[in-house]
Amino acid sequence: ANISVMDGWRVGVVGLNGAGKSTLFKLIAGELQADGGTISMNVRQRLGMVRQDIPETDTPLIDVVLAANEEMAQLWRDSQTETDGHRIAEIYERLGEMDAYSAPAKAAMLLTGLGFKEHQLTEPFSSFSGGWRMRVALAAALFVEPEILLLDEPTNHLDLEAIMWLEMYLLAYRHTLMIISHDRELLNNCIDHVIHVDKQQLTVYTGNYDAFERERAAHLGMQQKMHEKQQAARAHMQAFVDRFKAQASKARQAQSRVKALERMDLVDAVMADRAVRCTFPDPDEIARPIIATRPGD
């Protein structure tokens, strides 16, 4: 598998469940080590993804989000303890470059966009359920605004209003985005490339999800036609070999066709994606009447 993602691409990563989409993200993020090969990126670019392991804490929601930008959080802490005047000046200059003074407003905007009420922003993280905690984790990832953002099924814990807000936010995202999602509308509106993960291969398509489906369908149709044409040609040559291999006058021609068969690069048939078959057996006959009522009951 070999793939290159260029700066500024907005990539939807699609494929069957279990094909390896989430594993690919974990390899890119360094959470897993590949058995072979290399993964490389610009060392000056930050990579971010939604954390699944935010510890149990009584920290207010907005502070959890603010802490996601580790450099900013450390600079604020340093500003409270630093005594050297030159270093203090450097700290505040860097905080200004990071637009740190508007950071609380940005964190609040992200949390309210994802469905939290304003009065909840100061409530402890530990007081929320798992689904709401994942919204906080998503807000934290968006707050950092990394140059490479990986989102794995970000809409799983969102209601319709939050999904619509997230879609609008991602449309305006300025950096490289890679997103795994089964939300067709989100992919159609937010991506300009598709990486299809299938049978341990990665294939890049240009366009949104609908464009990917059309191009893939055309490719599969052409592949199946080439397979059928090749199989017919093989059958014709094999029939000639079987018929004339024992005749001296035709032996050379038969041997030539045998070699041609051996050299032929086979085109695979199109295999249907695996499917789950559900069977609903007919129930036993139920005695009638099932319910009977009488006036006055």
Side-chain angles (χ1 to χ4, degrees):
N2 183 40
I3 207 75
S4 294
V5 175
M6 309 303 292
D7 281 348
W9 278 17
R10 312 166 65 82
V11 183
V13 181
V14 304
L16 294 175
N17 290 335
K21 303 183 296 296
S22 295
T23 300
L24 176 63
F25 271 22
K26 290 177 180 178
L27 288 168
I28 294 172
E31 295 182 6
L32 292 177
Q33 297 301 314
D35 296 328
T38 59
I39 297 174
S40 60
M41 63 188 73
N42 189 330
V43 295
R44 292 176 296 179
Q45 293 185 329
R46 297 167 301 166
L47 183 143
M49 62 188 301
V50 177
R51 289 185 57 189
Q52 308 286 332
D53 61 343
I54 296 180
E56 186 83 11
T57 177
D58 290 333
T59 302
L61 298 188
I62 194 166
D63 290 336
V64 171
V65 175
L66 289 169
N69 190 324
E70 296 178 0
E71 181 188 2
M72 185 185 297
Q74 185 60 52
L75 287 170
W76 279 122
R77 288 192 294 269
D78 291 346
S79 70
Q80 303 302 313
T81 58
E82 185 60 57
T83 58
D84 180 83
H86 291 293
R87 176 56 184 156
I88 292 174
E90 291 175 353
I91 289 172
Y92 283 107
E93 181 180 3
R94 177 57 182 154
L95 286 171
E97 292 172 353
M98 300 175 73
D99 201 18
Y101 301 101
S102 64
K106 178 182 177 181
M109 178 271 293
L110 292 168
L111 287 167
T112 54
L114 291 171
F116 291 95
K117 305 300 182 184
E118 286 192 20
H119 68 84
Q120 294 178 307
L121 305 188
T122 55
E123 293 181 6
F125 176 79
S126 58
S127 66
F128 290 88
S129 63
W132 286 97
R133 292 183 184 188
M134 289 309 301
R135 296 192 190 206
V136 177
L138 176 57
L142 298 177
F143 175 75
V144 176
E145 201 171 331
E147 285 77 18
I148 305 170
L149 177 62
L150 309 181
L151 296 179
D152 189 347
E153 296 289 0
T155 61
N156 273 1
H157 302 282
L158 304 183
D159 54 27
L160 179 59
E161 186 175 353
I163 291 173
M164 293 174 64
W165 177 89
L166 178 63
E167 181 180 311
M168 295 303 297
Y169 185 89
L170 295 180
L171 276 170
Y173 196 71
R174 300 176 298 168
H175 305 299
T176 304
L177 171 67
M178 296 182 69
I179 180 170
I180 299 170
S181 179
H182 289 90
D183 188 325
R184 185 190 194 101
E185 186 172 356
L186 179 71
L187 292 177
N188 273 332
N189 292 336
C190 292
I191 66 172
D192 51 32
H193 288 80
V194 168
I195 292 177
H196 185 218
V197 184
D198 182 52
K199 300 179 179 66
Q200 301 183 5
Q201 297 293 318
L202 303 176
T203 307
V204 178
Y205 295 82
T206 300
N208 62 11
Y209 188 82
D210 284 348
F212 151 72
E213 277 202 329
R214 290 192 297 270
E215 187 173 346
R216 176 166 164 76
H219 172 76
L220 292 177
M222 184 179 299
Q223 177 181 332
Q224 184 62 26
K225 288 180 180 179
M226 290 178 63
H227 171 77
E228 293 170 357
K229 183 177 180 180
Q230 186 183 67
Q231 292 302 307
R234 284 175 57 83
H236 181 74
M237 285 191 286
Q238 188 64 53
F240 183 92
V241 172
D242 294 340
R243 182 178 179 184
F244 296 112
K245 61 183 178 181
Q247 297 183 18
S249 61
K250 297 287 188 178
R252 179 173 295 180
Q253 293 177 348
Q255 186 61 31
S256 175
R257 282 166 173 75
V258 169
K259 292 181 179 179
L261 286 169
E262 293 173 349
R263 291 193 302 268
M264 187 176 289
D265 292 328
L266 298 181
V267 177
D268 293 332
V270 174
M271 303 296 292
D273 291 334
R274 63 180 184 271
V276 177
R277 182 182 297 276
C278 298
T279 301
F280 299 94
D282 293 330
D284 295 333
E285 186 72 21
I286 299 177
R288 299 177 182 277
I290 298 174
I291 297 175
T293 64
R294 295 177 303 192
D297 286 353

